[in-house]
């Protein structure tokens, strides 16, 4: 079974324009060349064995499960009228609505391909990104929350009971955090630089009500690099996956934690993204949980192309057997997170054993 790379040309037509900066103008950082460099890099590497899939626009009724119709209509009107600034840095042009519908459509189609067994792993490569877009409020370059709609679809239409979303974009996925805040069907785990836009995602935000413990925020300081990020994945994210036993794992794959990125101050390398992907893919293989990634941010063009390729390479490689103990040391940040999480996850397992946490199940397993 091949892996799938989901794409649509409308991603190139979402025109975010340029800022004026004195006498000159600077391209908006979230511009169409982000998609071009990814495709150029993958093309140079023979698409790494991925089948290219042209995505449909999302069905409006599927989109409405997260975004109310009046909001969808307001975005449609803003685009049809020629485009405008929705806030200081979120811009739409005439073709942005189509691009946004296909960006969500890519994530939703990816879920179908994975759950139907038509793809062994997948990457949905579209713009605009999604994880900041609240149900009725565009923000942070995002119009609709692509990954949240896909997760909602997996629960509602595909009848899954446990979906895990891992968000490694350098910015906190505030919208995904918000949408599933009271749900125990979605385990949302975010690693992000803090403080940084959107200034949410504190470690103390663990979800609410029934969902307490199913939101896991792992803020890291500026300067954090591979050691910190990969350690958090190996020693916190992967053990959480073994405890939660998701039926589907979705990655909010932003690449702005890269050391070259102009919008943040972390120091992850291309190999760091590969290592995080390998660790998650290995857990997914043990759990028989399909894995798919959805493009979020990433604004250093060369680093973005190479890091997406590294992710695809890791997704398409047969995972190595789980080591008795991961090669990456437990950093103090990972240790503190494990201690914090003990309130909800009694014992984070080191390997692929069923967890005994009282909060690890949401009902009978499918
Ligand atoms: Zn970001």
């Amino acid at each position: 079974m091949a892996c799938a790379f989901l794409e649509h040309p409308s991603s190139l037509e979402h025109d975010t324009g340029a800022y004026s900066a004195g006498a000159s103008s600077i391209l908006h950082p979230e511009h169409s060349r982000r998609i071009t460099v990814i495709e150029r890099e993958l093309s140079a590497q023979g698409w790494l064995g991925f089948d290219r899939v042209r995505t449909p626009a999302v069905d409006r009724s599927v989109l409405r499960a997260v975004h109310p119709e009046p909001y969808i209509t307001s975005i449609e009107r803003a685009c049809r009228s020629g485009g405008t600034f929705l806030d200081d840095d979120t811009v739409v042009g005439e073709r942005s609505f189509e691009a946004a519908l296909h960006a969500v459509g890519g994530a939703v189609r990816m879920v179908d391909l994975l759950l139907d067994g038509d793809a062994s792993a997948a990457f949905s490569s579209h713009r605009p990104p999604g994880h900041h877009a609240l149900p009725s409020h565009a923000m942070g370059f995002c119009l609709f929350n692509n990954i949240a709609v896909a997760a909602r679809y997996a629960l509602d239409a595909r009848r899954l009971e446990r979906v895990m979303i891992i968000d490694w974009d350098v910015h906190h996925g505030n919208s995904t955090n918000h949408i599933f805040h009271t749900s125990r069907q979605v385990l949302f785990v975010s690693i992000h630089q803090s403080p940084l836009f959107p200034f949410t995602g504190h470690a103390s935000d663990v979800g609410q009500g029934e969902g307490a413990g199913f939101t896991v925020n792992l803020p890291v300081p500026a300067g954090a690099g591979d050691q910190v990020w990969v350690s958090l994945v190996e020693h916190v994210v992967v053990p959480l996956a073994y405890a939660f036993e998701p039926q589907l794992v979705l990655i909010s794959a932003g690449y702005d934690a890269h050391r070259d990125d102009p919008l943040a101050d972390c120091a992850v390398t291309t190999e760091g993204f590969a290592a995080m992907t390998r660790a998650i893919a290995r857990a997914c293989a043990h759990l028989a949980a399909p894995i798919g990634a959805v493009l979020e941010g990433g604004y250093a063009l060369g680093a973005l192309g190479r890091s997406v390729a590294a992710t695809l390479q890791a997704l398409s490689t047969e995972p190595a057997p789980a080591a008795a103990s991961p090669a990456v040391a437990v950093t103090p940040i990972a240790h503190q997170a494990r201690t914090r999480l003990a309130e909800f996850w009694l014992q984070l397992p080191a390997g692929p054993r069923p967890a005994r946490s009282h909060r690890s199940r949401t009902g009978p397993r499918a």
Side-chain angles (χ1 to χ4, degrees):
M1 197 189 341
C3 299
F5 181 85
L6 298 107
E7 59 184 345
H8 193 270
S10 58
S11 284
L12 302 171
E13 296 169 6
H14 167 45
D15 183 5
T16 46
Y19 290 106
S20 59
S24 57
S25 65
I26 303 170
L27 266 187
H28 189 290
E30 203 293 284
H31 56 74
S32 61
R33 285 181 57 205
R34 298 180 60 236
I35 296 296
T36 315
V37 293
I38 290 170
E39 303 209 349
R40 192 177 302 148
E41 180 69 33
L42 293 176
S43 173
Q45 298 196 35
W47 294 92
L48 295 162
F50 277 62
D51 286 341
R52 297 171 68 182
V53 177
R54 192 177 164 113
T55 58
V58 68
D59 187 292
R60 207 136 161 159
S61 65
V62 172
L63 185 57
R64 276 199 295 266
V66 168
H67 298 283
E69 180 63 31
Y71 172 72
I72 300 171
T73 309
S74 75
I75 298 294
E76 185 174 18
R77 280 208 200 102
C79 299
R80 301 262 185 266
S81 64
T84 186
F85 273 78
L86 300 175
D87 66 17
D88 285 348
D89 53 20
T90 310
V91 195
V92 291
E94 214 169 342
R95 301 279 301 148
S96 300
F97 187 63
E98 276 69 28
L101 292 181
H102 283 276
V104 189
V108 171
R109 180 83 187 106
M110 182 177 84
V111 166
D112 277 335
L113 290 174
L114 292 170
L115 296 181
D116 290 341
D118 291 330
S120 55
F123 191 98
S124 182
S125 176
H126 300 78
R127 52 186 290 277
H131 71 156
H132 297 308
L134 291 162
S136 294
H137 188 72
M139 66 181 279
F141 314 161
C142 302
L143 304 181
F144 302 129
N145 191 330
N146 309 318
I147 205 164
V149 176
R152 195 70 261 167
Y153 173 79
L155 297 170
D156 295 347
R158 302 300 307 250
R159 298 282 184 224
L160 295 196
E161 294 174 333
R162 296 180 308 282
V163 176
M164 183 170 185
I165 299 179
I166 300 163
D167 187 327
W168 74 41
D169 187 281
V170 80
H171 302 97
H172 177 237
N174 58 299
S175 163
T176 316
N177 189 115
H178 167 81
I179 289 164
F180 299 111
H181 209 229
T182 58
S183 172
R184 55 195 292 129
Q185 290 190 301
V186 174
L187 173 58
F188 173 66
V189 187
S190 176
I191 309 176
H192 46 272
Q193 183 182 323
S194 178
L196 188 69
F197 177 90
F199 304 101
T200 49
H202 304 295
S204 57
D205 181 0
V206 296
Q208 212 176 4
E210 276 242 311
F214 291 82
T215 293
V216 177
N217 281 300
L218 304 169
V220 301
D226 290 356
Q227 204 188 5
V228 169
W229 285 71
V230 179
S231 175
L232 281 170
V233 168
E234 289 271 17
H235 297 289
V236 182
V237 177
V238 164
L240 277 169
Y242 286 132
F244 182 62
E245 299 185 337
Q247 297 157 303
L248 173 68
V249 173
L250 300 174
I251 301 173
S252 257
Y255 294 88
D256 37 13
H258 196 282
R259 64 183 176 191
D260 294 347
D261 200 275
L263 296 197
D265 308 294
C266 281
V268 176
T269 66
T270 300
E271 170 50 30
F273 287 110
M276 291 195 287
T277 312
R278 281 195 299 270
I280 297 166
R282 195 174 63 230
C284 287
H286 282 290
L287 292 163
I291 177 171
V294 179
L295 180 66
E296 299 284 0
Y299 307 98
L301 293 181
L304 175 63
R306 289 189 298 275
S307 299
V308 170
T311 302
L312 264 58
Q313 178 82 58
L315 284 175
S316 63
T317 305
E318 189 73 25
S325 59
V328 183
V330 183
T331 57
I333 290 178
H335 177 73
Q336 286 158 15
R338 288 179 63 95
T339 306
R340 239 175 18 240
L341 288 168
E343 181 186 346
F344 300 102
W345 304 89
L346 295 180
Q347 176 96 50
L348 283 180
R353 287 181 293 106
R356 301 200 180 280
S357 164
H358 65 294
R359 289 189 183 269
S360 66
R361 296 285 168 74
T362 55
R365 302 190 60 201

